[in-house]
Amino acid sequence: MSLVLVTKREALVLADPRRRSADRAGEHLLHRRFTAEELPRLRVQVERCAAWAGLSETRRGDFVLAVDEIANNAIEHAGGTGSLLLRRVGDELECRISDSGPGFSEDVIPRILPGLDGATSGRGLWLTQLVTDRLAISAGAVGAVVTLAMRLR
């Protein structure tokens, strides 16, 4: 297990709900661009925001795992960077990850565990679909936008 330190400024934003923004679609908890080097810190920030939003500890672990899988896909398949928007929308915690890669559709998500059917890729998407309550893939202005969500139970 690695220790990830959060800067004082990041801690203030995560700890102070008045510094978060909101719109009609929901309360923005975290919005940032990321690279591979920033993934450990991103996981910590997502976990802290999910805890603050009220996602249970068990579901929080699944949520952070799903976000990490999609963020890793953006880095690996879409030029090494991505953008994450985490927000509370009604009774859900929603994460939207966008990238500037070639894009893809939901058709690439394997129906059974990759490897059992001969597929060599798609494990992260398959896992994300399995552990989240909602998963949608759409085209962005450039690249793909993956939206995943969990109900706050």
Side-chain angles (χ1 to χ4, degrees):
M1 177 190 243
S2 62
L3 176 65
V4 177
L5 299 176
V6 177
T7 67
K8 187 174 182 178
R9 179 173 175 262
E10 290 168 333
L12 286 172
V13 171
L14 292 172
D16 185 355
R18 295 170 300 171
R19 298 188 70 175
R20 297 183 174 105
S21 63
D23 61 21
R24 290 185 308 136
E27 180 182 12
H28 294 211
L29 304 175
L30 181 64
H31 191 197
R32 63 171 296 179
R33 294 199 53 72
F34 60 87
T35 63
E37 295 79 31
E38 295 159 329
L39 283 179
R41 178 173 284 155
L42 186 68
R43 285 190 294 271
V44 169
Q45 291 174 327
V46 167
E47 195 279 330
R48 287 183 178 164
C49 288
W52 181 87
L55 195 59
S56 71
E57 188 173 348
T58 303
R59 292 183 52 82
R60 197 164 53 235
D62 288 343
F63 186 78
V64 172
L65 174 64
V67 169
D68 187 56
E69 289 293 336
I70 302 304
N72 271 300
N73 281 352
I75 289 167
E76 183 178 339
H77 302 293
T81 64
S83 180
L84 177 141
L85 172 61
L86 182 64
R87 59 191 190 158
R88 184 176 180 160
V89 181
D91 68 344
E92 286 186 326
L93 183 61
E94 178 185 271
C95 181
R96 181 172 294 162
I97 297 176
S98 55
D99 62 46
S100 57
F104 63 100
S105 70
E106 292 182 19
D107 296 341
V108 302
I109 301 174
R111 299 293 169 224
I112 63 172
L113 176 64
L116 295 180
D117 63 353
T120 58
S121 64
R123 181 170 251 136
L125 287 166
W126 178 84
L127 180 64
T128 298
Q129 186 173 38
L130 183 69
V131 302
T132 59
D133 295 320
R134 180 167 52 94
L135 175 65
I137 300 166
S138 59
V142 209
V145 177
V146 178
T147 304
L148 57 107
M150 286 186 139
R151 283 184 298 281
L152 298 166
R153 303 184 200 171

